[in-house]
Amino acid sequence: MPSDQAPVAMTQKSAFARYLPITLIVIGAIAAIIVARDYLSFEALAANYEGLQTWQTQNQILSVVVFCAVYILAVAFSVPGAIWLTLIGGFLFGTVAGTALVVASATAGALLIFLARASRRPVRCAQR
């Protein structure tokens, strides 16, 4: 009889593990929309442009890392407002470097969302 209980426990645990990534994505998207909606606009970009440009000039490596991390999370959480982040990348890093950073970050964010979706695939499909 104990062997009958073990598969049920494993099924419940694997179901939790399968739905955890998508649950985190939904929670992250809702939180980002609530928190960032006032900061992702043309008015906010225009008001903070000089400060952002100064900070980027003083902290070049850190600004690239922060920008890429924010963009990756925005794509992974499907936050509406990636257009503003794309514009910020172009303003801060120039056309060529900004495009390269945006494309690389968008690809990494899409990879994260793909991996989260792939983790929900039932085990029996993975065994085929």
Side-chain angles (χ1 to χ4, degrees), residues 15-97:
F16 174 75
R18 281 195 331 235
Y19 289 107
L20 181 64
I22 197 72
T23 303
L24 292 176
I25 289 169
V26 170
I27 291 170
I30 292 170
I33 289 169
I34 291 170
V35 172
R37 68 176 169 214
D38 296 332
Y39 300 107
L40 293 176
S41 68
F42 185 71
E43 292 80 20
L45 178 59
N48 297 308
Y49 175 70
E50 288 181 18
L52 287 170
Q53 190 68 37
T54 302
W55 184 77
Q56 188 273 334
T57 303
Q58 294 172 351
N59 306 296
Q60 292 180 351
I61 303 282
L62 182 62
S63 64
V64 168
V65 171
V66 168
F67 174 76
C68 288
V70 169
Y71 204 99
I72 288 168
L73 292 175
V75 171
F77 289 127
S78 302
V79 176
I83 184 68
W84 302 115
L85 293 173
T86 303
L87 290 174
I88 290 170
F91 285 144
L92 291 180
F93 305 109
T95 305
V96 176

